[in-house]
């Protein structure tokens, strides 16, 4: 028993005893028992009032009334299952989906990095007069020194990534090691999990780096099983033993989350590119810093013209948050999802608002009745508020549960590399509060507003009115109709957005890549650069390896090179004899071996393939794709012509890459092969020039093997072949071309899956909402229908009357939704992963679907009303 | 309550009822019905206590610690709650009584004819 109940029982018992005593006295005074009791009760007055007032003295009434209200509310909800289920479902899905999605967006877009003040990190972009920003600028070491001296920056750090060979384990393995300047860890300001980070003193006065390494969490787990005693032990990287000085926490993923960080050798002669980022000195504006850096860049460009754009230079500082996360496909699709979930939350709120409005308006008579028998207005409002809050709290709790599940699901579905590897996605407290707040406010506001109105004492009118049959709730009905319009419009927008995502994805799936990705194994091979110091030695090894693999059973063709598997390698400017040189025009370069077209199954369109002799000696011959062939005027045959590839004229940036003797810019075109989607599946083919791999001998090569069976079953045979030649050759993680292509459809698939889920949820909510409100409105008019039928209206007339009204609002909603969709489509068209537009069919389907929902919602109750006996309809009290 | 009844029976002000209850209990513990009867008799039936209104007043006094309640048996052998004054209640009674007496004698002086006044 609740404490206030015990108290009440005792009080009322005592009062009853009082009345009994008085009755006894009256009987003793000669009254009849009935008279005596009546007199006693009259003398006592209202027992209930006395009881209430007594308990009020103790403050018991608050919790007691709350309990009362809650019980009453629960009874009401149980009696009104349809209302309760729809309202709770709306709240759950609306709140749950928005919390889950907002949490993802928060984790990925708003606070993805563990680094100190990531929004104050800037990266420079150097642009020519007509260039658009397309990434940051890479500086040389000497340039970095100069930049560090600029007063505009308080801190500057540089990053460089190079393949590093790990030996000493079971299998040699190739990693991308991240080389950092001495102050980099202090710039990023993240505490290590174990040991210490790289410090400025780790790079000696002569620029010589100390043999130390900081491990990523992933590397530490993989090779040391998380052993805390790993600190102080050594690993051999590029034949140098290095002491482990620290391990970073899992969220620290500066350019790698599976390798390690090393101190960068300071060597003014090293021209390889450094990614430089900086923080502005206090009080320096972005503009001022750009000005200072631009002056410097103009000088650098004069010294090193090949690495800078031509013409008047512009320097722009890009915010690190913008270039890494808030750009590209992911950010665009997350923003769209954000909008989708916003729409879903809106639909849910409209639903709840609608239901509350309908319910409370329908209860106008009950409320008037309670006022008439003496309920206080404050008490009544309190009762209605209790109901709204109870509903919202339960709905909110369900929503939070839904959000927990949905977040787990989204995290499981997120493709790798889709989000920064530092990002951690977890339910966000603020987001939770926000979504709960919005939907609860809606529930309460729309529950209370009509309650307040109906508690204004026009009791007689409302009571006579029979619950808003004909005149009473015209205002409420108009409002609900507008909410239906809004709901239909929102659903159209959400669904058409989803149809866009689905179409884009389907289009991407049907793109012909221009090659056959089935049954092709892909693997990287890295040789120890110090053990193969000459161009000749490296090419001999590559040739022997390739020859060994081609002869393996089950191999149809094999190819070795750099770039072009399947996406184009590095890009270079070029000139074609007889054509004016244009800046900014580039071709993609790929180094290939003779079986490249067979391995990828790319048809030869014209001319011939490379000969073995051309291949072995590294002659300057080239195959081009059809897009590159179109660089020549129509009717002109490029085969036999020559073109100048500017990059071939310069020595490679990386000293570990060795060029063929006598390499020069001019190449002769010997053949044309088919176009491939070498710039991503969603992009048009890029002009490509394929060169014999022997022109350059880098330590790392990519190997592609077309097999007759399962490509992965050949991995071991390839591995053994490589070990036969040199047991220290490092093989990378094997994958297949299909996997590579699959990665590209992963993002759109994820995006599409989420978007369609939200659209489906939105449609379900909207359908339920539209149905419940329209059918409610029609039911409210049953009395009016009775009057019309009594006056001679036919069943058909009634149906037409009701359907017309619904059709008016529904078509308005559809029209607004379509206009909104088209506006939004214009807005997002250039952000989506494929350039797709609405199809007529999906839009028509959406319109039909929603119209059908609205029509059915109107038809069913209208038909029921039309079948009613007019007398029953007249008596009907909704 | 209509204005007609006001002539003979004075509606009790809230504070007055509290004082009357304390005064009644000064003679010894009593249960609710007894308190009502005593107040009625002592005021020569002029002060008509709606018996029901006694109970909120009793609860107020209980909460303020001026009285306490014990379980006991009434005249007809039924369970009843007997109320008695606490020390704090006794103190409050004397304070309130003297205040009330000062107040009522002041009212009496104001309302009585002024014998020494010369026309």
């Amino acid at each position: 028993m609740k404490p206030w109940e015990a108290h009440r029982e005792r009080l009322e018992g005592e009062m009853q005893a009082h009345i009994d005593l008085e009755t006894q006295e009256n009987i003793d005074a000669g009254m009849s028992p009935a008279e005596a009791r009546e007199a006693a009760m009259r003398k006592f007055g209202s027992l209930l009032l006395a009881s209430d007032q007594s308990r009020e003295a103790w403050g018991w009434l608050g919790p007691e009334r709350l309990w009362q209200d809650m019980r009453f509310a629960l009874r009401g909800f149980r009696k009104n299952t349809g209302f309760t289920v729809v309202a709770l479902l709306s709240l759950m899905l609306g709140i749950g989906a928005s919390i889950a999605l907002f949490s993802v967006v928060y984790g990925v877009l708003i606070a993805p990095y563990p680094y100190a003040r990531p929004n104050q990190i800037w990266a420079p972009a150097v642009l020519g007069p007509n260039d658009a920003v397309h990434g940051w600028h890479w500086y040389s070491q000497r340039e970095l020194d100069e930049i560090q001296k600029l007063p505009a920056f308080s801190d500057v750090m540089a990053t460089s990534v190079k393949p590093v060979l790990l030996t000493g384990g079971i299998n040699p393995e190739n990693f991308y090691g991240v080389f950092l300047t001495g102050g980099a860890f202090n710039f990023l300001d993240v505490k290590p999990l174990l040991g210490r980070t790289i410090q400025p003193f780790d790079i000696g006065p002569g620029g010589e780096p100390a043999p130390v390494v900081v491990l990523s969490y992933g590397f530490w787990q993989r090779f040391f099983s998380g052993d805390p005693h790993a600190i102080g032990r050594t690993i051999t990287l590029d034949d140098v033993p290095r002491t482990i000085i620290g391990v970073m926490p899992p969220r620290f993923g500066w350019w790698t989350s599976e390798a390690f960080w090393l101190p960068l050798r300071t060597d003014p002669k090293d021209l390889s590119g450094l990614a430089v980022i900086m923080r502005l000195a206090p009080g320096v504006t972005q503009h001022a810093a750009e000005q200072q850096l631009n002056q410097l860049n103009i000088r650098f460009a004069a010294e090193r013209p090949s690495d800078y754009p031509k013409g008047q230079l512009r320097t722009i500082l890009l915010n690190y948050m913008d270039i890494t996360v808030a750009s590209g496909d992911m950010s665009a699709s997350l923003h769209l999802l954000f909008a989708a979930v916003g729409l879903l939350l809106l639909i849910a709120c409209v639903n709840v608002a609608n239901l509350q409005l309908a319910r409370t308006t329908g209860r106008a008579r009950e409320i008037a009745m309670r006022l008439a028998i003496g309920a206080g207005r404050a008490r009544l409002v309190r009762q209605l508020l209790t109901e709204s809050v109870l509903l919202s709290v339960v709905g909110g709790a369900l929503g939070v549960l839904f959000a927990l599940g949905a977040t787990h699901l989204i995290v499981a579905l997120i493709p790798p590399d889709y989000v920064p590897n530092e990002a951690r996605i977890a339910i966000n407290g603020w987001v939770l509060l926000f979504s709960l707040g919005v939907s609860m406010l809606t529930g309460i506001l729309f529950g209370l507003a009509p309650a307040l109105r109906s508690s204004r004492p026009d009791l007689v009118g409302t009571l006579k009115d029979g619950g808003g049959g004909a005149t009473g709730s015209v205002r409420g009905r108009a409002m609900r109709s507008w909410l239906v319009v809004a709901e239909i419009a929102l659903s159209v927008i959400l669904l058409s957005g989803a149809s866009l995502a689905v179409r884009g994805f389907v289009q991407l799936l049907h793109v012909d890549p221009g090659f056959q990705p089935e049954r092709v194994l892909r693997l990287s091979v890295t040789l120890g650069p110090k053990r193969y110091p000459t161009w000749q030695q490296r090419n001999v090894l590559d040739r022997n390896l390739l020859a060994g693999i081609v002869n393996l059973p089950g191999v149809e063709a094999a190819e070795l090179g750099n770039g072009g598997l399947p996406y184009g390698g590095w890009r270079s400017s070029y000139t074609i004899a007889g054509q004016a040189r244009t800046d900014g025009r580039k071709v993609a370069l790929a180094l290939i071996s003779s079986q490249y077209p067979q391995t990828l199954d790319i048809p030869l369109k014209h001319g011939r393939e490379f000969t073995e002799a051309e291949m072995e000696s590294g002659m300057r011959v080239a195959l081009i794709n059809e897009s590159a062939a179109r660089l020549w005027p129509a009717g002109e045959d490029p085969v036999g012509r020559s073109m100048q590839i500017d990059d071939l004229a310069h020595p490679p940036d990386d000293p570990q890459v060795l060029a063929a003797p006598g390499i020069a810019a001019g190449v002769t075109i010997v053949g044309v092969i088919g176009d491939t989607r070498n710039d991503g599946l969603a992009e048009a083919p890029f002009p490509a020039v394929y060169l014999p791999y022997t022109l350059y001998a880098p330590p790392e090569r990519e190997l592609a093997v077309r097999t007759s069976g399962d490509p992965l079953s050949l991995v071991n045979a390839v591995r053994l072949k490589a070990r036969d030649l040199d047991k220290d050759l490092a093989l990378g993680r094997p994958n297949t071309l299909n996997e590579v292509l699959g990665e590209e459809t992963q993002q759109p698939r994820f995006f599409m899956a989420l978007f369609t889920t939200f659209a489906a949820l939105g449609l379900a909510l909207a359908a339920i909402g539209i149905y419940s409100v329209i059918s409610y409105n029609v039911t409210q008019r049953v009395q009016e229908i009775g009057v019309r039928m009594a006056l001679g209206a036919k069943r058909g007339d009634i149906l037409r009357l009701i359907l017309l009204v619904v059709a008016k609002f529904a078509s308005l909603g559809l029209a607004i939704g379509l206009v909104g969709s088209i506006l939004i489509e214009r807005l997002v068209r250039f952000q989506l992963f494929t350039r797709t537009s609405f199809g007529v069919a999906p839009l028509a389907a959406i319109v039909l679907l929603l119209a059908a929902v609205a029509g059915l919602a109107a038809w069913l109750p209208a038909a029921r009303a039309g079948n009613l006996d007019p007398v029953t309809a007249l008596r009907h009290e909704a | 309550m209509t204005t007609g009844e006001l002539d003979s029976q004075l509606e009790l002000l809230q504070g007055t009822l509290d004082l009357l209850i304390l005064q009644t209990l000064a003679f010894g513990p009593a249960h609710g019905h007894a308190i009502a009867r005593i107040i009625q008799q002592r005021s020569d039936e002029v002060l008509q206590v709606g018996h029901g209104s006694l109970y909120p007043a009793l609860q107020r006094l209980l909460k303020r610690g001026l009285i306490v309640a014990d379980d006991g048996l009434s005249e007809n052998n039924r369970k009843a709650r007997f109320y008695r004054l606490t020390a704090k209640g006794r103190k409050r009674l004397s304070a309130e009584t003297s205040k009330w007496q000062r107040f009522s004698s002041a009212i009496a002086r104001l309302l009585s004819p002024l014998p020494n006044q010369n026309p």
Side-chain angles (χ1 to χ4, degrees), chain A residues 7 10-11 13-18 20-22 24-25 43-46 49-50 53-55 57-59, chain B residues 31-33 36-37 40 48-56 59-60 62-63 74-76 78-79 81 83:
Chain A
H7 184 251
R10 203 167 65 184
L11 256 175
E14 193 181 345
M15 291 180 200
Q16 201 57 53
H18 182 125
D20 290 348
L21 263 178
E22 185 75 23
Q24 193 56 49
E25 272 177 21
K43 202 164 198 177
F44 193 86
S46 162
L49 189 65
Q53 284 173 351
S54 299
R55 279 172 297 124
W58 289 98
Chain B
H31 57 69
H33 184 247
R37 203 178 48 215
Q40 211 172 315
Q48 185 73 32
V49 180
H51 285 194
S53 59
L54 196 61
Y55 287 87
Q59 297 297 322
R60 268 197 305 276
L62 272 175
K63 193 182 177 215
S74 69
E75 297 89 326
N76 57 354
R78 297 236 341 224
K79 251 172 67 177
R81 304 257 295 160
Y83 299 92

Side-chain angles (χ1 to χ4, degrees), chain A residues 200-218:
Chain A
F201 59 76
D202 286 315
I203 297 168
E208 192 62 30
V212 294
V213 59
V214 173
L215 303 185
S216 68
Y217 186 83

Side-chain angles (χ1 to χ4, degrees), chain A residues 694-760:
Chain A
T694 43
L695 278 178
Y696 287 104
E700 188 190 10
R701 295 287 196 190
E702 279 173 331
L703 189 65
V705 184
R706 174 167 292 276
T707 60
S708 48
D710 175 13
L712 289 175
S713 67
L714 249 92
V715 171
N716 268 332
V718 170
R719 222 185 260 284
L720 285 175
K721 200 47 99 185
R723 192 169 295 180
D724 280 352
L725 283 171
D726 176 353
K727 69 170 177 48
D728 282 336
L729 275 186
L731 297 184
R733 196 177 67 84
N735 60 9
T736 65
L737 266 194
N738 256 342
E739 276 179 58
V740 178
L741 289 192
E743 278 162 19
E744 196 163 341
T745 49
Q746 241 173 0
Q747 290 192 12
R749 176 178 283 131
F750 171 68
F751 176 48
M752 184 203 67
L754 278 186
F755 214 123
T756 347
T757 311
F758 284 117

